[in-house]
Amino acid sequence: MSYDKVLQAKSFIVGTKQTVKALKTGTIKEVVVARDADARVTAKVVSTANDMNVPILYVDSMKRLGKACGIEVGAAAVAITL
């Protein structure tokens, strides 16, 4: 599943604001978004990823996505870099 992609990624960026900023630089291979995150929080990430033609993968849990990133809190969005 997508959690494995995050675990295997050499480099990634955690958080919605940082993900949007990174998407605009064109250095992102794909974005992982948690379905249980508030849509208002993830809307800008999804919109920017679509604008930049970056694939979006969805996972079920912010908590598990955060754990896959090695952080103790949930993550709404993660960007996997090139």
Side-chain angles (χ1 to χ4, degrees), residues 1-3 31-35 42 46 50 56-60:
M1 188 152 198
S2 300
Y3 300 110
V31 174
V32 183
V33 175
R35 290 190 191 277
T42 60
V46 171
N50 285 330
I56 304 168
L57 302 168
Y58 289 92
V59 295
D60 295 329

Side-chain angles (χ1 to χ4, degrees), residues 62-76:
M62 284 178 61
K63 188 170 181 75
R64 284 183 59 198
L65 185 55
K67 189 170 277 197
C69 295
I71 59 174
E72 296 296 318
V73 295

